[in-house]
Amino acid sequence: MKTIFNRLISSRIYLLVLLTLFFCKPDVGKVDFYPDPLPTVSGSSEAMNEWKGKVIVLDFWATWCEPCAKAVPTINEWKKSVSDTDFVFRGINTDTTEPLEKIKEDMARLKMTYPTLLDKDWKMTDFYKVEGIPCVLVFDRNGKIVYRQYGLEKEDLTGLVIRSHVWASSELP
């Protein structure tokens, strides 16, 4: 009787291990990067896969968005507190009709210290299911989204700097 019970348990464990191999495969090499390049305000273009291996911070914003304007100083301070060799900061402008000159003027007025990409058609915004702005997305060195925050205030800076140390110390597989 004990032998039959042991065989039954062994066969179930074997089946469980076998099913795990088929259905619980890790997403090794899969990244959360938007696949297409976006234009910059200077006329070139950039693609996220150019920054793989770095922690990437995206700030979704618009010229008409007052909370976005209030978030920029915090992001500027955050950017100053981390290494340029470990982090990449980019604004993602979501204005659909504003002329490029207006966007550049607002970047200067806000004293934005990080470059901005243009997402006039909201392709990247929709890809990441950004439901409001300002929205900050953080990607780890492996290209996986590790943090999302809507709205950003000065009081958030300490927590972001602490998290940055964790994100920067993460290693590539």
Side-chain angles (χ1 to χ4, degrees):
M1 186 71 121
K2 196 173 189 182
T3 313
I4 294 172
F5 180 74
N6 287 342
R7 285 184 183 166
L8 183 61
I9 294 297
S10 295
S11 64
R12 286 187 177 177
I13 290 173
Y14 177 73
L15 180 62
L16 183 62
V17 169
L18 186 64
L19 289 173
T20 301
L21 292 173
F22 287 108
F23 295 107
C24 297
K25 293 180 182 175
D27 289 334
V28 176
K30 184 177 184 277
V31 297
D32 292 330
F33 289 160
Y34 178 70
D36 300 323
L38 287 180
T40 67
V41 293
S42 63
S44 61
S45 64
E46 293 182 348
M48 290 185 69
N49 62 7
E50 297 171 23
W51 309 314
K52 189 156 196 263
K54 294 189 176 198
V55 177
I56 302 167
V57 178
L58 300 181
D59 168 31
F60 290 80
W61 71 283
T63 57
W64 50 265
C65 172
E66 188 176 324
C68 298
K70 290 179 179 178
V72 170
T74 302
I75 296 171
N76 286 341
E77 286 298 312
W78 180 15
K79 182 179 181 291
K80 282 196 306 192
S81 75
V82 297
S83 164
D84 287 342
T85 59
D86 292 324
F87 283 78
V88 171
F89 284 77
R90 290 296 184 270
I92 307 298
N93 180 271
T94 60
D95 284 303
T96 57
T97 59
E98 292 294 342
L100 184 57
E101 286 309 310
K102 167 74 168 129
I103 295 168
K104 287 180 179 181
E105 287 170 12
D106 273 30
M107 289 175 63
R109 178 181 59 82
L110 298 172
K111 298 181 176 115
M112 191 177 282
T113 61
Y114 46 97
T116 286
L117 306 177
L118 304 172
D119 190 23
K120 288 188 176 291
D121 298 327
W122 281 37
K123 290 181 180 177
M124 180 185 273
T125 304
D126 288 343
F127 183 84
Y128 290 121
K129 298 175 177 52
V130 173
E131 297 175 359
I133 55 173
C135 176
V136 172
L137 290 182
V138 179
F139 298 77
D140 67 11
R141 292 178 182 276
N142 297 306
K144 302 298 286 174
I145 295 174
V146 292
Y147 188 76
R148 178 187 298 254
Q149 180 172 337
Y150 291 98
L152 196 62
E153 299 186 15
K154 185 177 183 177
E155 292 79 25
D156 297 319
L157 182 60
T158 302
L160 292 169
V161 171
I162 291 169
R163 286 183 187 97
S164 295
H165 293 293
V166 174
W167 296 324
S169 66
S170 66
E171 295 185 22
L172 295 167

